[in-house]
Amino acid sequence: MLTIKEIAEMANVSRATVSRVLNASGYVSEAARKRVLEVVEKTGYVPSQHAKSLRTKQTKVIGVILPKISTETSSRIVDGMNDVFSKQGFQILLTTTNLEPEKEIEYIRLLKSRQVDGIVLFATNINAELITEIEQLQLPFVAIGQDIPGVCSVTYEDFQSSKTMVKAIIEKGYKNIAFIGVDESDRAVGLDRKQGFLKSMEEHNLVVRKEWVKTTNFDIPSGYEAMKIIMEHSETKEIPDAVFAVTDRIAIGAMQYLKEVGYKIPDQIAVSGMGAADISQYVQPALTTIEYENQRAGKEAALLLLDQIVKNERNDKKVILGYRLIIRDSI
Amino acid sequence: MLTIKEIAEMANVSRATVSRVLNASGYVSEAARKRVLEVVEKTGYVPSQHAKSLRTKQTKVIGVILPKISTETSSRIVDGMNDVFSKQGFQILLTTTNLEPEKEIEYIRLLKSRQVDGIVLFATNINAELITEIEQLQLPFVAIGQDIPGVCSVTYEDFQSSKTMVKAIIEKGYKNIAFIGVDESDRAVGLDRKQGFLKSMEEHNLVVRKEWVKTTNFDIPSGYEAMKIIMEHSETKEIPDAVFAVTDRIAIGAMQYLKEVGYKIPDQIAVSGMGAADISQYVQPALTTIEYENQRAGKEAALLLLDQIVKNERNDKKVILGYRLIIRDSI
DNA sequence: GTCACTTATGAAATCGATTACACACTGATT
DNA sequence: AATCAGTGTGTAATCGATTTCATAAGTGAC
C-alpha cells in the first residue's frame, strides 16, 4: 500500500504539498502540482481514508440500520437514500437487525465507533431504552417509519391511509369487514393502521367482530393462515364480505386461501392490501392497495441527515409523506 | 468524543493498559482491569475504529458493489452475505453502480481507499478494463454471477438451467417457441441463457425463428413490449405456442400482454420464466420457472471471501450453484 | 530601500489507537 | 545469593494522513 510519504518522495516534494494538491487547498506551484499528479496517476495511489478520517473527523459514511434487507420496502428505501448520498460522495454502511430489537442499540454503538457521519434507522419496534440511546447519541440521526419524540424522522400517514382504504371499501358497499394486522409493538403498521380501520368502521357505524380481527406476521403464508382461521371460524355463522389486510403480502396470502377454497374475489369477498408491492398489480384480481413512496422516504431521510451533517447540529424536523389509494379489481 | 487517553487518566492507568483490557491482550492485573471497565461502562466509551484500523490494517468492513439494490436478486444476495459477515463481526459497505459499468472501477478504487478487508462484486457486464482492475487489486475479492478467469467467483448454471427449462417446455409438446432475452453483454443472463435455449432447440431439431427472438430489458413493461412485438409481427403468419423468457419479470410482462389480448395461458400459448421471483407463484397462472439460490450465493461468496481474508491470500476458487426446475401452471 | 502582500514550500504537531520494548516486582529454583 | 520465568505497567514509536506555523522569495506601492 502506497503512502503519501512515498508519493512525496517520488515527486520530490513534501507530504504537505502532496496533500495540498490532492485536496486543492493552499498554494501549490503549477510545476509541483503536475509532478504530483503524474506520480499519483502512474502509481494509482489512493489516500488512506482512515488516516484522513482520524484527522478530519469526517468519514463520508452513513450508517443504516434496517430490520431486514430483502423486503421491497427496505430495498426501495435504501435505493432512495443511496441515490442522494452517493451524489454527495457518501457511502452506506449497512447493518440489519433481523428483527431482533436489542440489535438496534448494539448497532447504533457500533456505527458510532466506526465514526459514521450520521445514522438512519428504519424503525419497527421502539422502546424506552432505544429512545434513550438515540437521545444521548450526539450524531446526526433520522428515523424512518416511526415517529420518535424529539427525533428527526420521516414517517408515513399510516392512520390516515388506513382509514382512507377502509372508507373506500365501505363505500363500495361492503359492511362485514375482517381485519388482518400485525403486532401492535410496531406502532406504525401494527397500531396506527389498526386504529385507522377501527376509526373508519366507527365513523360508518359498522360493528367490528372480534373473531374477524386477526394478528399475524408480515409474510404471505401468514396471511394465508390468518384468512383460513377467520373463514373456518366463521363457517357455521356469517362470513365477512371483505378483508382489509395491513400489507399486500398478507392480502395476497389471504387471496390465495380464498381462491383455493373457491371464493370469487371480489364478488363473494373483497380483499385489500397496503404498500403497493410490485407484485400487487399482477395477482388476479389485481389488488387494491395504498401506495407509500418508499424511495422518496429514503431520499427525504438522506436529505434530512445531510442537512444535519452540513449544519453540524441535530434537529427534530419531521417529514410526513403522503399516500395514494390505488383502486384495482380486488374490491 | 472520548479518547483512550481520557479513559486512561480516569482509570489511573496508561493508555497501553486500557488497550490491553479492551483487547484482552497482554497482562493486566485484576484491579486495573476492573477500574478500566468501570470507567468504560460509565462513560460509554467506544474506541475509534479509524485509529484502530490505521494501526492494525483491519477494518472489518466488506465492500459490496451491486448493479442495483432494489431487485429481488440483489437483496437476497446481500441478505445471505450479511448473515455470514455479521456473525464474524464484519459490516457491509454498500455501493451501487445503477447499471453504469464505469462505476464498477470507480467503486473498486473507492473501496480500496476505504481500506475494506475485501470486495464482493455482483457482476453484470464485464470488460477487459474491469478485469485488469480486478487483477491488479491486491485485496480479497469474489465475483458473483459472472465467471471471471483467474478470479474467485460464485456463479449459477445459466446455460444448463436454461437448457433444462427449454427441454421441459418441449417435452410438454410445444414446438414453436419464442425467446425473450436480454443483451448479451450480460454473459450469464444474456448470453448463456440464450445459448441454452438454442442448444435445446437444436437437440430437439426444432427451428428457431428470428422474428420470435427478442432482446429487451429486465423489467416487467419490457417483457410486455417484447411480447407485443412478437405477436403483432406474427399476426398474419404463425404464432408461437410457447414463450421462454430469461427472467420472471419479463415473463410476467409477457403474460400480461397475452392475457390482455385474450390468449389463454397455457392452452393457447405457454410462458416460462427464470429466477423464481416471489411474485412468480402468485400470478395467474402460476409461473413455471427455475430457482437459483440467491441467498446461498451470497453466503457462499461471503465464505469464499472470509477464507481469503483469514488466509491472507487471494485465490480463484469457483463455486457453481445448482438450480431447481419449478413446474407450475404456465406451461 | 522598506513595507506589506501574495505565493510556495517544508518541518513538525496532531488525530487515537496498538504494540515493541524496557523496567520492576514476585516467587521459585539452583 | 544468583538466576529465571511469569506478571504487570508505562514510555514511546508507529500507522498515514492534515494542518499550523515558520520561512523565503517575488511583486508592487510608497
Side-chain angles (χ1 to χ4, degrees), chain A residues 268-319:
Chain A
Q268 294 175 280
I269 183 162
V271 177
S272 90
M274 300 192 86
D278 258 13
I279 175 173
S280 65
Q281 65 181 301
Y282 298 103
V283 293
Q284 196 112 27
L287 189 62
T288 290
T289 187
I290 293 269
E291 182 183 59
Y292 299 107
E293 305 159 283
N294 297 130
Q295 213 152 345
R296 178 134 169 259
K299 280 191 186 182
E300 293 289 343
L303 292 171
L304 284 171
L305 198 71
L306 285 176
D307 184 50
Q308 292 181 44
I309 291 172
V310 300
K311 293 197 182 131
N312 197 25
E313 56 174 24
R314 283 182 67 162
N315 63 37
D316 62 345
K317 282 189 196 158
K318 307 279 182 190
V319 169

Short mmCIF file of all heavy atoms in Angstrom, two decimals, chain A residues 268-319:
data_model
loop_
_atom_site.label_atom_id
_atom_site.label_comp_id
_atom_site.label_asym_id
_atom_site.label_seq_id
_atom_site.Cartn_x
_atom_site.Cartn_y
_atom_site.Cartn_z
N GLN A 268 -67.66 -12.50 -4.08
CA GLN A 268 -68.12 -13.06 -2.82
C GLN A 268 -67.40 -12.44 -1.63
O GLN A 268 -67.98 -12.29 -0.56
CB GLN A 268 -67.89 -14.57 -2.84
CG GLN A 268 -68.78 -15.26 -3.88
CD GLN A 268 -68.45 -16.72 -3.98
OE1 GLN A 268 -67.49 -17.11 -4.62
NE2 GLN A 268 -69.26 -17.55 -3.34
N ILE A 269 -66.16 -12.10 -1.86
CA ILE A 269 -65.42 -11.48 -0.77
C ILE A 269 -64.32 -10.59 -1.37
O ILE A 269 -63.62 -11.00 -2.29
CB ILE A 269 -64.86 -12.55 0.20
CG1 ILE A 269 -64.15 -11.91 1.38
CG2 ILE A 269 -63.94 -13.52 -0.50
CD1 ILE A 269 -63.98 -12.88 2.55
N ALA A 270 -64.26 -9.39 -0.87
CA ALA A 270 -63.28 -8.43 -1.37
C ALA A 270 -62.01 -8.48 -0.52
O ALA A 270 -62.06 -8.87 0.65
CB ALA A 270 -63.85 -7.02 -1.36
N VAL A 271 -60.89 -8.10 -1.11
CA VAL A 271 -59.62 -8.10 -0.37
C VAL A 271 -58.88 -6.80 -0.69
O VAL A 271 -58.88 -6.35 -1.84
CB VAL A 271 -58.74 -9.30 -0.79
CG1 VAL A 271 -57.39 -9.25 -0.07
CG2 VAL A 271 -59.44 -10.62 -0.52
N SER A 272 -58.27 -6.23 0.32
CA SER A 272 -57.40 -5.09 0.02
C SER A 272 -56.12 -5.20 0.82
O SER A 272 -56.08 -5.80 1.89
CB SER A 272 -58.10 -3.78 0.33
OG SER A 272 -57.84 -3.40 1.65
N GLY A 273 -55.07 -4.61 0.27
CA GLY A 273 -53.77 -4.62 0.95
C GLY A 273 -53.30 -3.20 1.17
O GLY A 273 -54.05 -2.25 1.03
N MET A 274 -52.04 -3.07 1.53
CA MET A 274 -51.43 -1.75 1.67
C MET A 274 -49.94 -1.88 1.35
O MET A 274 -49.31 -2.85 1.73
CB MET A 274 -51.58 -1.22 3.09
CG MET A 274 -53.01 -1.08 3.53
SD MET A 274 -53.15 -0.14 5.07
CE MET A 274 -53.18 1.52 4.46
N GLY A 275 -49.42 -0.87 0.67
CA GLY A 275 -47.99 -0.85 0.42
C GLY A 275 -47.59 -0.87 -1.04
O GLY A 275 -46.45 -0.62 -1.39
N ALA A 276 -48.55 -1.18 -1.91
CA ALA A 276 -48.26 -1.20 -3.35
C ALA A 276 -47.01 -2.00 -3.68
O ALA A 276 -46.11 -1.51 -4.36
CB ALA A 276 -48.15 0.22 -3.91
N ALA A 277 -46.97 -3.22 -3.21
CA ALA A 277 -45.88 -4.10 -3.61
C ALA A 277 -45.95 -4.29 -5.13
O ALA A 277 -47.03 -4.25 -5.71
CB ALA A 277 -46.02 -5.45 -2.92
N ASP A 278 -44.81 -4.45 -5.74
CA ASP A 278 -44.74 -4.69 -7.19
C ASP A 278 -45.74 -5.72 -7.63
O ASP A 278 -46.48 -5.55 -8.59
CB ASP A 278 -43.36 -5.28 -7.51
CG ASP A 278 -42.45 -4.22 -8.10
OD1 ASP A 278 -42.82 -3.04 -8.03
OD2 ASP A 278 -41.41 -4.60 -8.64
N ILE A 279 -45.69 -6.78 -6.90
CA ILE A 279 -46.49 -7.95 -7.16
C ILE A 279 -48.00 -7.66 -7.15
O ILE A 279 -48.78 -8.31 -7.83
CB ILE A 279 -46.13 -8.99 -6.08
CG1 ILE A 279 -46.95 -10.24 -6.12
CG2 ILE A 279 -46.19 -8.40 -4.69
CD1 ILE A 279 -46.40 -11.29 -5.12
N SER A 280 -48.41 -6.63 -6.42
CA SER A 280 -49.85 -6.42 -6.18
C SER A 280 -50.64 -6.24 -7.46
O SER A 280 -51.81 -6.62 -7.52
CB SER A 280 -50.06 -5.23 -5.25
OG SER A 280 -49.62 -4.03 -5.88
N GLN A 281 -50.01 -5.69 -8.49
CA GLN A 281 -50.82 -5.47 -9.69
C GLN A 281 -50.84 -6.66 -10.62
O GLN A 281 -51.54 -6.65 -11.62
CB GLN A 281 -50.36 -4.22 -10.43
CG GLN A 281 -48.96 -4.29 -10.98
CD GLN A 281 -48.60 -2.99 -11.68
OE1 GLN A 281 -49.25 -2.57 -12.63
NE2 GLN A 281 -47.56 -2.34 -11.19
N TYR A 282 -50.09 -7.68 -10.28
CA TYR A 282 -50.06 -8.82 -11.19
C TYR A 282 -50.78 -10.04 -10.64
O TYR A 282 -50.87 -11.06 -11.29
CB TYR A 282 -48.62 -9.16 -11.57
CG TYR A 282 -47.98 -8.01 -12.30
CD1 TYR A 282 -47.07 -7.18 -11.66
CD2 TYR A 282 -48.34 -7.72 -13.61
CE1 TYR A 282 -46.51 -6.10 -12.32
CE2 TYR A 282 -47.79 -6.64 -14.28
CZ TYR A 282 -46.88 -5.83 -13.63
OH TYR A 282 -46.33 -4.75 -14.28
N VAL A 283 -51.26 -9.95 -9.42
CA VAL A 283 -52.07 -11.06 -8.91
C VAL A 283 -53.45 -10.93 -9.53
O VAL A 283 -53.82 -9.89 -10.08
CB VAL A 283 -52.16 -11.04 -7.36
CG1 VAL A 283 -50.82 -11.34 -6.76
CG2 VAL A 283 -52.69 -9.70 -6.86
N GLN A 284 -54.21 -12.00 -9.40
CA GLN A 284 -55.53 -11.99 -10.02
C GLN A 284 -56.59 -12.17 -8.95
O GLN A 284 -56.55 -13.19 -8.26
CB GLN A 284 -55.64 -13.13 -11.03
CG GLN A 284 -56.77 -12.98 -11.98
CD GLN A 284 -56.25 -12.72 -13.38
OE1 GLN A 284 -55.15 -13.12 -13.72
NE2 GLN A 284 -57.03 -12.04 -14.19
N PRO A 285 -57.50 -11.30 -8.75
CA PRO A 285 -57.59 -9.98 -9.39
C PRO A 285 -56.53 -9.03 -8.85
O PRO A 285 -56.07 -9.20 -7.73
CB PRO A 285 -58.99 -9.52 -8.98
CG PRO A 285 -59.22 -10.18 -7.66
CD PRO A 285 -58.56 -11.51 -7.77
N ALA A 286 -56.21 -8.03 -9.66
CA ALA A 286 -55.21 -7.04 -9.24
C ALA A 286 -55.65 -6.42 -7.92
O ALA A 286 -56.82 -6.10 -7.73
CB ALA A 286 -55.06 -5.98 -10.31
N LEU A 287 -54.70 -6.28 -7.03
CA LEU A 287 -55.01 -5.89 -5.66
C LEU A 287 -55.18 -4.38 -5.48
O LEU A 287 -54.37 -3.59 -5.92
CB LEU A 287 -53.87 -6.38 -4.75
CG LEU A 287 -54.06 -6.28 -3.24
CD1 LEU A 287 -55.23 -7.14 -2.79
CD2 LEU A 287 -52.79 -6.70 -2.54
N THR A 288 -56.25 -4.02 -4.82
CA THR A 288 -56.45 -2.63 -4.42
C THR A 288 -55.55 -2.37 -3.22
O THR A 288 -55.51 -3.17 -2.28
CB THR A 288 -57.92 -2.40 -4.04
OG1 THR A 288 -58.69 -2.46 -5.24
CG2 THR A 288 -58.11 -1.04 -3.38
N THR A 289 -54.83 -1.26 -3.27
CA THR A 289 -53.82 -1.06 -2.24
C THR A 289 -53.53 0.43 -2.03
O THR A 289 -54.14 1.28 -2.68
CB THR A 289 -52.53 -1.83 -2.60
OG1 THR A 289 -51.60 -1.77 -1.54
CG2 THR A 289 -51.89 -1.26 -3.86
N ILE A 290 -52.64 0.71 -1.12
CA ILE A 290 -52.21 2.09 -0.86
C ILE A 290 -50.74 2.18 -1.21
O ILE A 290 -49.95 1.34 -0.82
CB ILE A 290 -52.35 2.43 0.64
CG1 ILE A 290 -53.81 2.46 1.07
CG2 ILE A 290 -51.63 3.74 0.96
CD1 ILE A 290 -54.48 3.80 0.97
N GLU A 291 -50.41 3.22 -1.95
CA GLU A 291 -49.00 3.38 -2.29
C GLU A 291 -48.34 4.37 -1.35
O GLU A 291 -48.81 5.49 -1.18
CB GLU A 291 -48.86 3.87 -3.73
CG GLU A 291 -47.41 4.01 -4.14
CD GLU A 291 -47.29 4.57 -5.55
OE1 GLU A 291 -47.79 5.68 -5.80
OE2 GLU A 291 -46.71 3.89 -6.39
N TYR A 292 -47.26 3.94 -0.73
CA TYR A 292 -46.41 4.85 0.05
C TYR A 292 -45.16 5.03 -0.79
O TYR A 292 -44.70 4.09 -1.42
CB TYR A 292 -46.02 4.23 1.38
CG TYR A 292 -47.18 3.90 2.26
CD1 TYR A 292 -47.56 2.58 2.46
CD2 TYR A 292 -47.89 4.90 2.90
CE1 TYR A 292 -48.63 2.26 3.27
CE2 TYR A 292 -48.96 4.59 3.72
CZ TYR A 292 -49.33 3.28 3.91
OH TYR A 292 -50.38 2.96 4.71
N GLU A 293 -44.60 6.20 -0.74
CA GLU A 293 -43.42 6.40 -1.58
C GLU A 293 -42.17 6.03 -0.82
O GLU A 293 -41.51 6.90 -0.26
CB GLU A 293 -43.37 7.85 -2.04
CG GLU A 293 -44.63 8.30 -2.72
CD GLU A 293 -44.74 9.81 -2.68
OE1 GLU A 293 -45.10 10.36 -1.63
OE2 GLU A 293 -44.43 10.42 -3.71
N ASN A 294 -41.81 4.78 -0.84
CA ASN A 294 -40.65 4.33 -0.07
C ASN A 294 -39.35 4.96 -0.57
O ASN A 294 -38.52 5.38 0.23
CB ASN A 294 -40.51 2.81 -0.19
CG ASN A 294 -41.71 2.10 0.40
OD1 ASN A 294 -42.30 1.24 -0.23
ND2 ASN A 294 -42.09 2.48 1.61
N GLN A 295 -39.22 5.01 -1.86
CA GLN A 295 -38.00 5.54 -2.40
C GLN A 295 -37.85 7.01 -1.99
O GLN A 295 -36.77 7.45 -1.60
CB GLN A 295 -38.03 5.43 -3.92
CG GLN A 295 -36.66 5.20 -4.49
CD GLN A 295 -36.72 4.45 -5.79
OE1 GLN A 295 -37.76 3.86 -6.14
NE2 GLN A 295 -35.61 4.46 -6.52
N ARG A 296 -38.96 7.69 -2.06
CA ARG A 296 -38.94 9.10 -1.66
C ARG A 296 -38.62 9.20 -0.17
O ARG A 296 -37.89 10.10 0.26
CB ARG A 296 -40.31 9.71 -1.97
CG ARG A 296 -40.39 11.12 -1.54
CD ARG A 296 -40.97 12.09 -2.50
NE ARG A 296 -41.17 13.32 -1.72
CZ ARG A 296 -42.34 13.70 -1.23
NH1 ARG A 296 -43.43 13.00 -1.51
NH2 ARG A 296 -42.43 14.78 -0.49
N ALA A 297 -39.14 8.28 0.62
CA ALA A 297 -38.84 8.29 2.05
C ALA A 297 -37.33 8.20 2.26
O ALA A 297 -36.75 8.93 3.07
CB ALA A 297 -39.54 7.12 2.74
N GLY A 298 -36.70 7.32 1.50
CA GLY A 298 -35.25 7.18 1.59
C GLY A 298 -34.57 8.48 1.22
O GLY A 298 -33.65 8.94 1.91
N LYS A 299 -35.03 9.08 0.15
CA LYS A 299 -34.43 10.34 -0.28
C LYS A 299 -34.60 11.42 0.78
O LYS A 299 -33.66 12.13 1.11
CB LYS A 299 -35.08 10.81 -1.59
CG LYS A 299 -34.54 10.10 -2.79
CD LYS A 299 -34.99 10.75 -4.09
CE LYS A 299 -34.52 9.88 -5.24
NZ LYS A 299 -34.83 10.37 -6.56
N GLU A 300 -35.81 11.55 1.28
CA GLU A 300 -36.07 12.58 2.27
C GLU A 300 -35.21 12.36 3.51
O GLU A 300 -34.65 13.30 4.07
CB GLU A 300 -37.55 12.56 2.68
CG GLU A 300 -38.51 12.97 1.57
CD GLU A 300 -38.44 14.45 1.23
OE1 GLU A 300 -37.89 15.22 2.04
OE2 GLU A 300 -38.92 14.83 0.13
N ALA A 301 -35.11 11.12 3.92
CA ALA A 301 -34.30 10.81 5.09
C ALA A 301 -32.85 11.22 4.84
O ALA A 301 -32.20 11.84 5.70
CB ALA A 301 -34.38 9.32 5.41
N ALA A 302 -32.37 10.92 3.65
CA ALA A 302 -31.00 11.27 3.31
C ALA A 302 -30.81 12.78 3.35
O ALA A 302 -29.83 13.29 3.90
CB ALA A 302 -30.65 10.72 1.93
N LEU A 303 -31.77 13.50 2.80
CA LEU A 303 -31.66 14.95 2.78
C LEU A 303 -31.69 15.53 4.20
O LEU A 303 -30.91 16.42 4.53
CB LEU A 303 -32.78 15.55 1.93
CG LEU A 303 -32.66 15.24 0.43
CD1 LEU A 303 -33.91 15.66 -0.32
CD2 LEU A 303 -31.42 15.93 -0.15
N LEU A 304 -32.57 14.99 5.02
CA LEU A 304 -32.65 15.46 6.40
C LEU A 304 -31.32 15.22 7.12
O LEU A 304 -30.86 16.05 7.89
CB LEU A 304 -33.77 14.73 7.14
CG LEU A 304 -35.19 15.18 6.82
CD1 LEU A 304 -36.21 14.23 7.44
CD2 LEU A 304 -35.43 16.60 7.32
N LEU A 305 -30.75 14.08 6.84
CA LEU A 305 -29.50 13.75 7.51
C LEU A 305 -28.37 14.65 7.01
O LEU A 305 -27.59 15.18 7.81
CB LEU A 305 -29.14 12.28 7.26
CG LEU A 305 -28.11 11.73 8.23
CD1 LEU A 305 -28.72 11.58 9.61
CD2 LEU A 305 -27.57 10.39 7.77
N LEU A 306 -28.31 14.84 5.71
CA LEU A 306 -27.26 15.70 5.16
C LEU A 306 -27.39 17.11 5.71
O LEU A 306 -26.38 17.77 6.00
CB LEU A 306 -27.36 15.72 3.63
CG LEU A 306 -26.86 14.47 2.93
CD1 LEU A 306 -27.10 14.55 1.43
CD2 LEU A 306 -25.38 14.26 3.20
N ASP A 307 -28.60 17.55 5.85
CA ASP A 307 -28.85 18.87 6.42
C ASP A 307 -28.22 18.97 7.81
O ASP A 307 -27.53 19.94 8.14
CB ASP A 307 -30.36 19.10 6.49
CG ASP A 307 -30.68 20.51 6.97
OD1 ASP A 307 -30.11 21.46 6.40
OD2 ASP A 307 -31.48 20.64 7.91
N GLN A 308 -28.43 17.95 8.61
CA GLN A 308 -27.83 17.94 9.94
C GLN A 308 -26.32 17.91 9.86
O GLN A 308 -25.61 18.55 10.65
CB GLN A 308 -28.33 16.73 10.75
CG GLN A 308 -29.80 16.78 11.11
CD GLN A 308 -30.22 15.57 11.92
OE1 GLN A 308 -29.54 15.16 12.85
NE2 GLN A 308 -31.34 14.98 11.56
N ILE A 309 -25.82 17.14 8.91
CA ILE A 309 -24.38 16.98 8.80
C ILE A 309 -23.71 18.30 8.41
O ILE A 309 -22.73 18.70 9.03
CB ILE A 309 -24.02 15.87 7.79
CG1 ILE A 309 -24.43 14.51 8.36
CG2 ILE A 309 -22.53 15.87 7.46
CD1 ILE A 309 -24.31 13.36 7.40
N VAL A 310 -24.24 18.97 7.39
CA VAL A 310 -23.57 20.20 6.98
C VAL A 310 -23.72 21.30 8.02
O VAL A 310 -22.80 22.07 8.26
CB VAL A 310 -24.06 20.71 5.59
CG1 VAL A 310 -23.80 19.67 4.52
CG2 VAL A 310 -25.52 21.09 5.62
N LYS A 311 -24.88 21.35 8.66
CA LYS A 311 -25.07 22.38 9.68
C LYS A 311 -24.42 21.97 11.00
O LYS A 311 -24.35 22.75 11.94
CB LYS A 311 -26.55 22.63 9.91
CG LYS A 311 -27.22 23.26 8.70
CD LYS A 311 -28.54 23.88 9.07
CE LYS A 311 -29.24 24.48 7.86
NZ LYS A 311 -30.64 24.06 7.78
N ASN A 312 -24.01 20.72 11.05
CA ASN A 312 -23.35 20.22 12.24
C ASN A 312 -24.21 20.37 13.49
O ASN A 312 -23.74 20.79 14.55
CB ASN A 312 -22.01 20.91 12.43
CG ASN A 312 -21.13 20.15 13.40
OD1 ASN A 312 -21.29 18.94 13.56
ND2 ASN A 312 -20.22 20.85 14.06
N GLU A 313 -25.48 20.08 13.35
CA GLU A 313 -26.34 20.09 14.54
C GLU A 313 -27.53 19.18 14.29
O GLU A 313 -28.05 19.09 13.18
CB GLU A 313 -26.83 21.52 14.84
CG GLU A 313 -27.55 22.16 13.67
CD GLU A 313 -28.17 23.50 14.02
OE1 GLU A 313 -27.69 24.13 14.96
OE2 GLU A 313 -29.13 23.89 13.34
N ARG A 314 -27.92 18.52 15.32
CA ARG A 314 -29.10 17.66 15.20
C ARG A 314 -30.35 18.52 15.21
O ARG A 314 -30.37 19.61 15.76
CB ARG A 314 -29.15 16.69 16.38
CG ARG A 314 -28.18 15.55 16.22
CD ARG A 314 -28.31 14.59 17.37
NE ARG A 314 -29.59 13.89 17.36
CZ ARG A 314 -29.81 12.77 18.04
NH1 ARG A 314 -28.85 12.24 18.76
NH2 ARG A 314 -30.98 12.18 18.01
N ASN A 315 -31.37 18.02 14.57
CA ASN A 315 -32.65 18.72 14.69
C ASN A 315 -33.75 17.67 14.81
O ASN A 315 -33.49 16.46 14.79
CB ASN A 315 -32.88 19.64 13.49
CG ASN A 315 -32.98 18.88 12.19
OD1 ASN A 315 -33.53 17.78 12.13
ND2 ASN A 315 -32.43 19.46 11.14
N ASP A 316 -34.96 18.14 14.95
CA ASP A 316 -36.05 17.18 15.08
C ASP A 316 -37.14 17.45 14.05
O ASP A 316 -38.32 17.35 14.32
CB ASP A 316 -36.63 17.22 16.50
CG ASP A 316 -37.22 18.57 16.83
OD1 ASP A 316 -36.93 19.53 16.08
OD2 ASP A 316 -37.98 18.67 17.80
N LYS A 317 -36.66 17.80 12.86
CA LYS A 317 -37.62 18.01 11.77
C LYS A 317 -38.40 16.74 11.49
O LYS A 317 -37.89 15.63 11.60
CB LYS A 317 -36.87 18.43 10.50
CG LYS A 317 -36.44 19.87 10.52
CD LYS A 317 -35.88 20.29 9.15
CE LYS A 317 -35.12 21.59 9.29
NZ LYS A 317 -34.15 21.79 8.20
N LYS A 318 -39.63 16.95 11.08
CA LYS A 318 -40.47 15.80 10.77
C LYS A 318 -40.95 15.92 9.32
O LYS A 318 -41.46 16.96 8.92
CB LYS A 318 -41.71 15.79 11.67
CG LYS A 318 -41.41 15.88 13.15
CD LYS A 318 -41.03 14.53 13.70
CE LYS A 318 -40.78 14.62 15.20
NZ LYS A 318 -40.20 13.39 15.73
N VAL A 319 -40.77 14.87 8.58
CA VAL A 319 -41.36 14.83 7.25
C VAL A 319 -42.41 13.73 7.25
O VAL A 319 -42.13 12.60 7.65
CB VAL A 319 -40.30 14.53 6.16
CG1 VAL A 319 -40.97 14.24 4.83
CG2 VAL A 319 -39.35 15.71 6.03
#
